Amino acid sequence: MNRFRKIFRRKKKAGMDAEAAFLNIVEARNILKRRGVNFWLTDGTLLGIYRGGNFIAHDEDLDFGAFIDDFDDRLILDFVDEGWKLYNIFGKRDCGL
């Protein structure tokens, strides 16, 4: 199963503002939904929610995963147009992670 992961950060600051993080997840969901992309939380974002029911206090980003077949290059522009900055891309379209 090929997957891609992208890490977007809305704002750079020390630690996670839980309310802002939640609103950013909602905004990301709306952007992804417009393109028909199903996604899930992954890495530290998922770990914090699973273990403690909230974001990890010292975490500084939100982690999303999606299947590579759902990827559309226009997604990056959609996020940038909404004010997000792309910091990292993990994996390649032809081999996933």
Side-chain angles (χ1 to χ4, degrees), residues 4 10 17 20-21 23 28 33 38 48 61 70 76 86 92:
F4 73 92
R10 184 65 138 152
D17 175 337
L23 293 174
K33 189 176 180 179
N38 294 314
D61 63 1
D70 290 339
I76 294 171
L86 177 64
K92 296 179 183 176

Side-chain angles (χ1 to χ4, degrees), residues 8 10 22 42 49 53-54 56 68 74 77 83:
F8 285 92
R10 184 65 138 152
F22 177 77
T42 188
I49 298 295
N54 209 337
I56 297 172
I68 194 67
R74 295 174 294 180
L77 295 176

Side-chain angles (χ1 to χ4, degrees), residues 11 32 34 41-42 50 52 56 60 70-72 90 97:
K11 298 176 183 175
L32 293 164
R34 285 195 301 259
L41 301 178
T42 188
Y50 179 77
I56 297 172
E60 296 183 343
D70 290 339
F71 180 73
D72 181 328
F90 298 99
L97 292 175

